[in-house]
Amino acid sequence: MESLKKCFAEFIGTFVLVFFGCGTAVVSGCAAGNAGHLITALAFGLVIVAMAYSVGNVSGCHVNPAVSIGCLVAGRMTLKDFALYIVAQFVGAIAGAAALKAVLSSNPAWTGLGTNNAALGTGVSIVVEIILTCVFVFTILGVTSPKESHGSFGGLVIGLTLTLIHLLGIPFTGTSVNPARSFGPALIAGGDALSCVWIFVLAPLIGGALAAVLYKAVELKK
């Protein structure tokens, strides 16, 4: 029952992330350098803050396979829980994208589902996503370390970090750092988004695992 509740919390969190984050990108007309760029970055960050303080006490609010693989490599979760979290996150993202498509269809001007792109090339996209994800997961591992006490500010720090990452990453790839967030909208949208989605699944997973290795290397033993 406890595992089921954790999975449901991850489903809800990822659904909300895709629906509000990607939805904001669409309705704000997000493009590099415009107001929508900042608004979208804030939306993704604020969603994480909201979910961290609502489902964080249930599942830890990973809502991201890259975060889960980081926790797995860091020894903070079991392989069984990792597998369950991954399924819940991907299903939540697909459901969020499907719901988003349904509501956006009410306005012909709202096109797309906030999918990612590799317009600057596969190599650049992979490198950028690995670095951005590594920084994000590295921060999460530090903030949530059982050896440190960050009080009630952990969720805020993580949300602001995701906002920062989007501010830089949007002009490069639209910012993924989350395989589920990329896969859900790409699956529902299809086309070019689906053809390059492997980049935004693989690179964040590598970045998340790398973050765990780096954090374990610098973590002080107490």
Side-chain angles (χ1 to χ4, degrees):
M1 180 60 72
E2 182 177 336
S3 293
L4 184 60
K5 288 185 176 182
K6 288 181 178 180
C7 288
F8 191 45
E10 287 295 304
F11 170 87
I12 292 172
T14 314
F15 178 99
V16 173
L17 177 69
V18 170
F19 188 84
F20 282 88
C22 295
T24 299
V26 175
V27 301
S28 69
C30 178
N34 71 0
H37 180 164
L38 175 59
I39 292 170
T40 300
L42 287 170
F44 275 100
L46 290 172
V47 168
I48 290 299
V49 172
M51 291 300 98
Y53 291 112
S54 55
V55 302
N57 63 323
V58 178
S59 67
C61 188
H62 292 190
V63 300
N64 182 342
V67 174
S68 295
I69 199 170
C71 290
L72 176 68
V73 174
R76 298 190 188 178
M77 72 184 309
T78 65
L79 184 59
K80 176 185 176 182
D81 280 344
F82 170 73
L84 292 173
Y85 272 42
I86 294 296
V87 172
Q89 290 157 2
F90 273 95
V91 174
I94 293 169
L100 182 59
K101 182 177 181 179
V103 299
L104 290 178
S105 63
S106 62
N107 187 337
W110 291 337
T111 59
L113 291 175
T115 55
N116 299 109
N117 68 82
L120 297 180
T122 300
V124 170
S125 299
I126 290 174
V127 171
V128 168
E129 286 294 330
I130 289 176
I131 293 173
L132 294 179
T133 309
C134 184
V135 171
F136 182 49
V137 177
F138 187 88
T139 301
I140 291 173
L141 292 174
V143 169
T144 61
S145 172
K147 299 175 183 178
E148 300 292 341
S149 176
H150 298 277
S152 60
F153 296 103
L156 181 60
V157 172
I158 294 169
L160 288 174
T161 301
L162 188 59
T163 297
L164 173 64
I165 284 169
H166 274 77
L167 288 174
L168 175 62
I170 285 174
F172 288 93
T173 63
T175 309
S176 170
V177 304
N178 184 334
R181 166 262 182 273
S182 294
F183 183 80
L187 180 66
I188 300 301
D192 292 340
L194 191 57
S195 68
C196 69
V197 73
W198 67 269
I199 296 172
F200 306 106
V201 172
L202 178 62
L205 289 175
I206 294 173
L210 178 60
V213 172
L214 293 176
Y215 189 77
K216 289 177 72 175
V218 303
E219 185 179 23
L220 294 175
K221 305 299 181 182
K222 293 184 178 180

